[in-house]
Amino acid sequence: GLCMALGEHWRGAGQGAVFMLGMVVSTGIGGGLVLDGAPYDGRTGNAGHVGHMVVDVDGPPCSCGGRGCVEAIASGPNMAAWAREQGWVGPKNNDARELADAAAAGDGIAIQAFRRGARAVAAMIASVGAVCDLDLVVPGGGVANAGPVLFDPLREALRDYAVLDFLADLRVLPAELGGEAGLVGAATLLGLVTTAFAQSAPVVTLEKTVITGSHIRQIDTESALPVQVITREEIEKSGVTTVEQL
């Protein structure tokens, strides 16, 4: 989720945004946050895990063990399952792609399924927008590729939910990078590491890792004490060139 958000922020639909949520709506729902222009991953590295925000307190069970999560309503498989329960008959092993095609062709049940999913996503966006003071949300993934079938009812529902004055300018734009967003985001992280080693002050904290101009320090999340320190000299001697190697 975070790499997708960073990719879209750097080279995709999120360029120029300062407070942004990038999210994937597909077989599941996930996301990543860019706050004040920088990646934010939270205490455990899971910030932006928006798929399990509750949007219906009496809603359907979710795979996480909770109820009413946006993923339980708006993920591709769950939308298709709901449509089948309402009588929709699609191709064998039908999924969100066939459901989107049916909705675009005017199938009433398929349209209802996407409207139901879109309202759940809109409720989640309004909530995250209020908490993080977002200016942009960039949905991508297989379900988001449905285009207007999803985005038209989503924007319509967002007008009902995002009513606070400071959310008036909140925008929702489709992702532009497709499956390449994560790779582009990983390259962004590598750029952050390179920048950090060229400076003397902390630049970014990612997944319990503090990167500064002189070292990379792994942090124990319970004690808040460093458990591993990699110095700049050690990095340079090792020939590391990618984030994965770190």
Side-chain angles (χ1 to χ4, degrees):
L2 182 59
C3 280
M4 177 271 181
L6 284 173
E8 290 290 341
H9 183 258
W10 185 31
R11 293 297 189 196
Q15 294 180 72
V18 182
F19 290 85
M20 171 191 145
L21 168 68
M23 56 180 295
V24 176
V25 187
S26 187
T27 54
I29 295 179
L33 290 164
V34 175
L35 301 180
D36 203 15
Y40 181 79
D41 71 337
R43 177 179 61 87
T44 65
N46 288 294
H49 206 52
V50 295
H52 297 286
M53 289 189 64
V54 176
V55 294
D56 183 353
V57 294
D58 298 315
C62 181
S63 60
C64 71
R67 299 189 69 89
C69 299
V70 63
E71 182 175 299
I73 298 171
S75 69
N78 284 316
M79 283 202 300
W82 182 87
R84 286 192 292 270
E85 290 172 0
Q86 310 308 309
W88 176 62
V89 179
K92 186 177 181 180
N93 298 322
N94 47 53
D95 58 15
R97 180 176 299 179
E98 283 76 22
L99 188 67
D101 291 342
D107 184 284
I109 294 176
I111 290 172
Q112 290 178 40
F114 267 92
R115 285 191 173 276
R116 177 175 176 267
R119 290 194 69 84
V121 172
M124 177 272 291
I125 288 174
S127 297
V128 179
V131 170
C132 297
D133 201 6
L134 299 177
D135 60 314
L136 178 65
V137 176
V138 178
V143 174
N145 289 338
V149 169
L150 175 71
F151 282 93
D152 287 353
L154 192 162
R155 292 190 177 108
E156 179 183 346
L158 195 59
R159 288 193 289 270
D160 293 334
Y161 294 129
V163 296
L164 294 169
D165 289 344
F166 69 88
L167 295 178
D169 296 329
L170 177 59
R171 297 170 296 146
V172 177
L173 297 176
E176 295 179 354
L177 301 181
E180 300 298 315
L183 294 175
V184 175
T188 307
L189 288 180
L190 179 58
L192 289 170
V193 172
T194 303
T195 300
F197 278 124
Q199 300 182 10
S200 60
V203 173
V204 65
T205 300
L206 290 171
E207 296 186 3
K208 300 163 288 188
T209 303
V210 178
I211 303 169
T212 75
S214 61
H215 63 269
I216 295 177
R217 185 172 71 251
Q218 293 287 332
I219 300 297
D220 181 277
T221 55
E222 293 185 2
S223 67
L225 296 174
V227 294
Q228 181 182 18
V229 176
I230 306 173
T231 66
R232 177 175 182 169
E233 289 74 20
E234 288 172 328
I235 291 292
E236 291 174 344
K237 289 179 181 179
S238 71
V240 164
T241 58
T242 69
V243 172
E244 287 76 9
Q245 289 176 295
L246 294 175

